[in-house]
Amino acid sequence: MARVVVDVMLKPEILDPAGQAVANALPRLGITRVSSVRIGKRIEIEFAGEPDLDQAHRIADKLLANLVIEDFTVRVEETAPAATP
Amino acid sequence: MSTVIGVVTFPGSLDDRDAVRAARLSGATAVRLWHADNDLHGVDAVILPGGFSYGDYLRCGAIARFAPVMESIADAARGGMPVLGVCNGFQILCEAHLLPGALTRNQHLHFRNRDQQLRVSSTGSAWTNAFAAGQELLIPVKNGEGRYVADARTLDELEAEDRVVARYVGVNPNGSMRDIAAIRNEAGNVVGIMPHPEHAVEELTGPSVDGLGFFTSVLKHLAGAPSLQPAATA
């Protein structure tokens, strides 16, 4: 079985205040060498049967990402067969 | 015959009742439209109210954009029907590409709920023609994702074409680019605004009655522009 993974990230020029808030919290963990944190979304799509990259691309383009502010990548991720319980 | 304004209710809409009330106080007949019904029931104008449509999952307005009613509204808007999107309605209009740009997380990450000073910068829209250019309004703003964002070229175009409808005055509550609070499309029939005119229509409950002007504007626009109506109801 394979799933399609879509990663959606804010475009580099779009401010990510949530990512900045995370970056600003890192010194509290004693981590001081991180210069930037940006937060995106990972969406996993499972098709009945073979994964359809074209359709996944269409889903990402029409719904999952807003291309005014976001970019996306689409890839197939091989998954191990479901473990028997 | 009285002008009929339709107010859409999506699952998660909050301000639909206030929008209906505001439309009635301005002298219009207001009817409710349902997100799953693609029939606009012959209304003359549409309001997309504030709230959290479909839980605002994925992005604000991203799922509402695909509601059956939105298909009819997008067609009618292209035909000239006045459409006002307030807050979540503004987000939906941007997601539907009826307006350019996007609304993103407030720069300071805080939800802002306050009475906000605005300045009307374009009176050339169906929803602001009753105001004077430069008129200042006091209207509640309440959003967590109200920061207007667009690329520099789009922002320059909006300014050059008199399409920035209102700007924040004094404090910018969310970090909106160029202090933009409201914009319109090229034709001027579609307006998106982040603050809530429908919450400023009565002395008892609002900080002013400045919001009424948006609704009386559309009545004035429709009274003076009967030629738009056949396209709008087609």
Side-chain angles (χ1 to χ4, degrees):
Chain A
M1 199 180 112
R3 69 163 63 109
V4 177
V5 175
V6 179
D7 286 310
V8 178
M9 290 297 299
L10 285 170
K11 287 180 192 283
E13 67 270 23
I14 301 291
L15 185 74
D16 178 13
Q20 285 177 347
V22 172
N24 291 340
L26 293 180
R28 280 178 247 153
L29 303 182
I31 295 165
T32 53
R33 292 186 55 243
V34 171
S35 61
S36 167
V37 174
R38 294 182 67 79
I39 298 176
K41 299 187 189 95
R42 170 188 162 111
I43 298 114
E44 300 178 346
I45 303 173
E46 279 170 25
F47 286 89
E50 281 303 295
D52 185 332
L53 270 182
D54 284 345
Q55 262 188 26
H57 199 275
R58 207 172 135 242
I59 294 168
D61 185 61
K62 292 268 177 226
L63 178 59
L64 301 181
N66 176 352
L67 300 186
V68 174
I69 50 170
E70 294 167 326
D71 296 319
F72 67 87
T73 58
V74 179
R75 66 177 193 277
V76 175
E77 189 179 75
E78 297 301 329
T79 52
T84 40
Chain B
M1 206 182 89
S2 164
T3 300
V4 182
I5 298 180
V7 178
V8 178
T9 300
F10 296 97
S13 291
L14 295 179
D15 301 323
D16 41 345
R17 290 167 68 107
D18 279 31
V20 164
R21 188 170 169 77
R24 286 186 184 141
L25 285 168
S26 71
T29 299
V31 300
R32 313 291 293 264
L33 300 175
W34 183 239
H35 69 107
D37 179 2
N38 63 7
D39 188 346
L40 297 184
H41 301 277
V43 298
D44 302 304
V46 168
I47 298 173
L48 301 178
F52 300 85
S53 55
Y54 296 90
D56 273 349
Y57 297 132
L58 193 63
R59 289 180 309 280
C60 304
I63 298 176
R65 174 206 167 184
F66 292 100
V69 74
M70 280 308 296
E71 208 169 301
S72 310
I73 290 171
D75 285 346
R78 287 185 202 106
M81 177 185 277
V83 178
L84 178 69
V86 177
C87 195
N88 195 220
F90 188 6
Q91 295 162 338
I92 295 168
L93 289 173
C94 287
E95 283 285 341
H97 306 305
L98 290 168
L99 291 173
L103 284 312
T104 61
R105 190 78 68 93
N106 291 354
Q107 189 161 2
H108 43 60
L109 292 172
H110 299 283
F111 192 95
R112 274 288 180 270
N113 183 4
R114 61 200 296 269
D115 296 334
Q116 174 70 43
Q117 203 81 29
L118 303 179
R119 185 177 296 121
V120 177
S121 47
S122 174
T123 55
S125 88
W127 299 90
T128 51
N129 62 53
F131 295 115
Q135 189 173 339
E136 293 202 1
L137 314 176
L138 186 65
I139 285 179
V141 68
K142 45 166 198 171
N143 64 67
E145 302 191 38
R147 178 174 184 259
Y148 184 73
V149 169
D151 59 34
R153 208 174 85 187
T154 304
L155 293 169
D156 290 345
E157 260 174 36
L158 287 173
E159 287 180 340
E161 295 168 6
D162 188 36
R163 289 170 55 197
V164 176
V165 168
R167 290 183 203 267
Y168 300 114
V169 175
V171 184
N172 177 334
N174 45 37
S176 267
M177 288 182 158
R178 303 193 193 179
D179 297 329
I180 289 175
I183 59 168
R184 65 173 175 89
N185 67 348
E186 293 88 336
N189 60 309
V190 179
V191 169
I193 182 167
M194 217 54 215
H196 291 261
E198 79 283 9
H199 294 332
V201 294
E202 285 177 297
E203 297 285 359
L204 179 66
T205 53
S208 74
V209 293
D210 293 345
L212 274 177
F214 290 85
F215 309 98
T216 55
S217 287
V218 79
L219 297 185
K220 194 172 138 192
H221 171 81
L222 288 167
S227 61
L228 282 178
Q229 295 199 22
T233 52

